Amino acid sequence: MKILVAVKRAIDYNVKARPKADGSGVELANVKMSMNPFDEIAVEEAIRLQEAGKAGEIVAVSIGPAACQETLRTAMAMGADRGVLVQSDDEVQPLAVAKLLKAIVDREQPGLVICGKQAIDDDSNQTGQMLAGLLGWAQGTFACNVTPEGDTLAVKREVDGGLQSITLKLPAVVTADLRLNEPRYVKLPNIMKAKKKPLDTFAPADLGVDITPRLKTVKVAEPAARAGGVKVADVQELVAKLRNEAKVI
């Protein structure tokens, strides 16, 4: 079974995101970038399935500027066999990403697609679900455990009420949650080997996909600073503050 893993280049999770001075977007100039943490978990899961003899080739796919090659090389250093970059310097919104991934899936014919449940930059949490819808495949979102069982896939999902177990018929799309696994540390020899692994590059036009944005960002601003907490003397004062100041009851 071939596995396709989608990876995104995002602002490093240790960096505080800041809006541009004109409020048109998030400042990316001179900001450290890295692989989206949830996508890193997705790559690790694909590698573990391969090591367990449950999967064959692993193909990492990224969509974005030429700098995304670095993200793909990281995925290949972790263990992915090759990479595919859909190169575009324009904004690519979730629906366009899903359409591009569908085009790659049609070319590669994988038995399983794994991606992070969301990217930590825009937190859209849409691409995996949209891709499954476009492909007409089963989907297992927010996965914290994945177990292949013949031509099916047992997935344990994190939901608001706890955990939900479902069985998917392959091919399927799975989105990785935080507790699915802990990604491995990439060793220097593997980083050097990754430089020699094949990486194919396409343009959106090559795949016949229109990536024109459907949504327009009006303004990006930092949230208002939270006020300091206060102590109340009794329940009556607490209720009064919730009713008159916070206006939540």
Side-chain angles (χ1 to χ4, degrees):
M1 176 177 66
K2 181 190 292 187
I3 299 180
L4 189 145
V5 185
V7 297
K8 183 177 183 180
R9 181 175 181 265
I11 296 177
D12 189 87
Y13 67 92
N14 287 313
V15 176
K16 177 177 170 58
R18 300 183 182 279
K20 293 181 179 179
D22 60 1
S24 61
V26 177
E27 184 60 67
L28 299 178
N30 301 317
V31 174
K32 182 182 179 183
M33 309 290 282
S34 61
M35 187 189 301
N36 175 49
F38 290 105
D39 296 340
E40 195 173 6
I41 293 169
V43 174
E44 175 66 26
E45 190 63 23
I47 296 167
R48 293 189 184 191
L49 291 173
Q50 186 186 58
E51 291 173 341
K54 303 293 185 179
E57 186 180 31
I58 299 172
V59 182
V61 182
S62 190
I63 299 167
C68 290
Q69 291 186 29
E70 179 183 346
T71 306
L72 288 170
R73 293 296 178 191
T74 299
M76 289 186 277
M78 290 177 67
D81 298 296
R82 57 188 177 91
V84 176
L85 172 62
V86 182
Q87 186 171 330
S88 174
D89 292 323
D90 299 325
E91 178 188 7
V92 187
Q93 295 180 347
L95 179 58
V97 172
K99 289 181 177 180
L100 290 169
L101 289 176
K102 179 183 181 299
I104 297 297
V105 168
D106 291 340
R107 283 172 172 259
E108 297 288 342
Q109 294 295 306
L112 177 64
V113 176
I114 310 178
C115 54
K117 70 169 184 176
Q118 64 193 74
I120 61 172
D121 50 5
D122 56 18
D123 280 331
S124 292
N125 183 20
Q126 297 173 350
T127 301
Q129 293 90 326
M130 287 179 172
L131 176 60
L134 291 172
L135 290 169
W137 288 8
Q139 60 177 301
T141 56
F142 318 131
C144 62
N145 185 271
V146 175
T147 307
E149 299 174 349
D151 61 350
T152 63
L153 196 69
V155 176
K156 189 173 290 184
R157 305 179 59 236
E158 295 197 17
V159 296
D160 291 341
L163 298 176
Q164 178 188 42
S165 296
I166 60 174
T167 300
L168 309 178
K169 185 176 180 180
L170 294 172
V173 176
V174 170
T175 67
D177 212 327
L178 186 64
R179 280 158 287 278
L180 180 57
N181 60 56
E182 184 176 343
R184 65 194 63 194
Y185 178 77
V186 180
K187 299 179 181 178
L188 181 59
N190 292 336
I191 295 175
M192 302 306 294
K193 291 177 183 178
K195 294 181 179 180
K196 298 181 180 180
K197 291 185 178 181
L199 194 160
D200 299 323
T201 303
F202 299 96
D206 298 334
L207 303 174
V209 177
D210 179 12
I211 63 170
T212 303
R214 294 170 178 245
L215 303 175
K216 180 180 178 181
T217 300
V218 178
K219 184 179 181 182
V220 176
E222 289 198 46
R226 292 184 61 181
V230 296
K231 290 184 178 180
V232 295
D234 49 38
V235 174
Q236 288 74 19
E237 185 181 354
L238 173 61
V239 172
K241 285 184 176 292
L242 291 175
R243 179 179 291 117
N244 302 323
E245 297 181 17
K247 298 186 184 301
V248 295
I249 59 174

